[in-house]
Structures are given as structure tokens and as C-alpha cells.
Amino acid sequence: MLTRINTVLNDMESITLDEMSGIRLMDRIDMKFVSSISVLPQLLDEMLPYFKVQEVDNQRISSYATQYLDTSGLEMFVMHQNGKLNRQKVRIRSYVDSNLSFLEVKNKNNKGRTRKMRVPVNMTHINSVNDLGDERCFLDENSIFQTSGLKPTLANEFERITLVNDRKTERITIDIHLSFYNYQTKCKEILDNMMILELKQDGWQQSDFRDILNRLRIKQFSFSKYCMGTVLTNPDVKYNRFKGRWTLINKII
């Protein structure tokens, strides 16, 4: 299957990382979708006439790693589980192939908009917030949680395909080969047979990508890597809100 995926990606027109930087959409509306990875070759075939694929160092599939920070009581997870519309995540996101890492604070409000703030860091993972230098000030200023109370709770790794439509009004990410590691339980979970699709737009507007997904009968599906990774690797957390998603994921994998 990877050969088929690479064949279609190589047929696509490429866009550089510098060109993509103007379409970062740091304050945006997100829509997520989940499907079996077996659909990916057909999806890319449908996207071929309308989208460009990001290429970094001659690679069109990039490796990512993330470390999430939360409180001892997993308050960020609990906010999502309890249905809080205004919520926050804190993470270190690493672009492995580019050797770049950022400490990020990601806020989602009750209007469905996502706003992300970040600063560069020279590490992909930390053992505690004490490993951070000046970046602690960034957390003090932007996180709603006390910096001293944050600690690593979950890590993930995945591969990502990033695309933008020819009109440059929407950016698409396709995440595959996800794995999770939980620092509390020491459990690891691998999701090799599914993909997470995300549509990012600066406001609600017509979407070439949504039109393609409708044709393929891929429906919108809220999916938080942090929350689902926590549910998959920690049997002690309450996860009523995620039971439906858990059922669908089990069907896919």
C-alpha cells in the first residue's frame, strides 16, 4: 500500500515549506475525520487535480513526535471529557525530519476556533518543566494552568502528509502510523490501520476537500490525539464522552 501512496504523492505538484509558511492558519477552524488507511490511495487520487503536497528535503511524508504536558490530575484531559468548550492543551511538537521542536499552547474556544501559540525549544522531550529555560515564562504567560504543576503525561509518534489546495484557502493533514506511550501507566498502543484527516480553514467556506470526502462517504469525526491516546493507554481514566469514538476506532483497527 505504501508504494501506491508514494506513487500518487509523487504525481502531485509540490509546495515548499517556505511557501507553506504563509498558510499556517494559527487562528483557524478545524474539522477532523477518521477512516481506514486502506482508503488513502483512492483519497489521494481524488485530491490529485486540486491539491499540492508539501515537500521537505525531498520527502513528502514527514515524521512527527509530540509530548503532552498535563497536571497530575489530568485536568486538560478532564476538561475535554467533561465537554468544556473552552479548553487548552500544552505540548512539545517536534518535526523530526527538520530537527525542529516547539513548545505550544493550543486553545480551543466555544466558537470552534483553534488558536495556537508557540516558541522554539531545543529538545523533543522533557522529564519535568524544570528542564525548560526561558520557555517557562512562555507557559506562565499563556497557559491557564500553573507551570510548576505541569508534567509529561503522554507521547506520540506519527507520519504526516500535508497538502494545500490550489486556491490556498485550506490546508489538509493526513496522519498515519500513530503510536502512543503513557508516562503514568508505561503502556504503549499502536494504531497502524487508521488515518486521521484534518481540514484547517480560516473561517467557514467552500471546501474542495469536504466535497471529496462526501463522495467517499468519509464523515466528520472529532478526534483528539491526546485524549484518545490517554484513553487507549490508561484504563483508569473516565472516558464516557469518548465511548462512541472508541467503538469506531476498534472497528477500523
Side-chain angles (χ1 to χ4, degrees):
M1 177 182 295
L2 189 57
T3 301
R4 291 176 60 201
I5 293 170
N6 282 324
T7 297
V8 182
L9 289 177
N10 288 334
D11 287 339
M12 277 188 174
E13 186 178 347
S14 66
I15 183 169
T16 67
L17 190 59
D18 285 342
E19 291 172 319
M20 187 68 86
S21 65
I23 323 168
R24 290 187 300 167
L25 303 177
M26 300 292 279
D27 184 5
R28 66 192 185 228
I29 290 175
D30 298 339
M31 297 180 67
K32 291 184 181 179
F33 308 80
V34 174
S35 184
S36 167
I37 195 174
S38 62
V39 183
L40 183 52
Q42 183 181 359
L43 173 64
L44 292 174
D45 270 330
E46 293 270 352
M47 296 176 72
L48 183 60
Y50 312 104
F51 287 83
K52 297 180 175 65
V53 60
Q54 178 178 287
E55 183 174 299
V56 181
D57 295 331
N58 298 316
Q59 298 294 320
R60 299 190 174 194
I61 302 178
S62 300
S63 297
Y64 283 62
T66 315
Q67 185 185 52
Y68 294 94
L69 308 182
D70 205 337
T71 65
S72 296
L74 302 180
E75 291 178 63
M76 297 184 208
F77 171 83
V78 171
M79 288 176 73
H80 203 146
Q81 152 63 27
N82 290 345
K84 297 291 185 183
L85 297 180
N86 292 293
R87 55 184 184 261
Q88 186 175 87
K89 290 190 182 77
V90 177
R91 68 190 187 187
I92 297 176
R93 168 57 59 83
S94 298
Y95 303 82
V96 178
D97 301 320
S98 304
N99 197 29
L100 294 172
S101 296
F102 296 90
L103 176 64
E104 300 182 343
V105 174
K106 189 176 179 182
N107 295 293
K108 190 159 190 177
N109 67 21
N110 57 5
K111 305 297 184 183
R113 295 197 72 91
T114 299
R115 182 168 178 259
K116 186 169 68 174
M117 298 162 288
R118 67 184 189 178
V119 292
V121 291
N122 58 7
M123 59 196 83
T124 60
H125 297 76
I126 58 174
N127 294 315
S128 78
V129 289
N130 294 327
D131 295 338
L132 298 171
D134 294 339
E135 299 87 3
R136 287 191 58 143
C137 296
F138 169 77
L139 290 180
D140 290 338
E141 293 171 1
N142 295 288
S143 177
I144 61 176
F145 300 92
Q146 280 199 342
T147 302
S148 60
L150 299 177
K151 65 178 186 177
T153 54
L154 187 80
N156 71 28
E157 296 179 354
F158 57 93
E159 294 182 320
R160 170 169 286 184
I161 302 166
T162 302
L163 309 106
V164 63
N165 65 336
D166 291 336
R167 293 180 288 118
K168 297 183 178 179
T169 57
E170 57 185 337
R171 184 158 57 93
I172 313 300
T173 58
I174 302 173
D175 296 341
I176 58 176
H177 301 151
L178 282 89
S179 66
F180 300 97
Y181 174 76
N182 192 298
Y183 289 95
Q184 288 183 316
T185 65
K186 312 302 181 188
C187 290
K188 186 172 184 178
E189 186 71 36
I190 298 174
L191 301 179
D192 250 352
N193 296 329
M194 64 177 288
M195 60 179 178
I196 302 170
L197 318 168
E198 187 166 7
L199 164 63
K200 302 174 177 69
Q201 292 179 296
D202 184 14
W204 296 104
Q205 53 190 285
Q206 189 274 333
S207 167
D208 302 313
F209 186 61
R210 280 203 308 271
D211 292 343
I212 293 170
L213 294 183
N214 286 336
R215 290 199 294 271
L216 297 179
R217 298 182 180 179
I218 298 175
K219 296 182 179 180
Q220 186 176 355
F221 183 87
S222 178
F223 188 101
S224 160
K225 291 190 189 71
Y226 176 54
C227 291
M228 291 310 302
T230 299
V231 169
L232 290 167
T233 58
N234 188 342
D236 295 328
V237 298
K238 181 181 177 182
Y239 66 98
N240 305 42
R241 185 175 177 83
F242 305 109
K243 280 185 178 178
R245 294 160 211 174
W246 168 263
T247 301
L248 178 59
I249 289 169
N250 275 325
K251 287 181 180 178
I252 293 173
I253 65 176

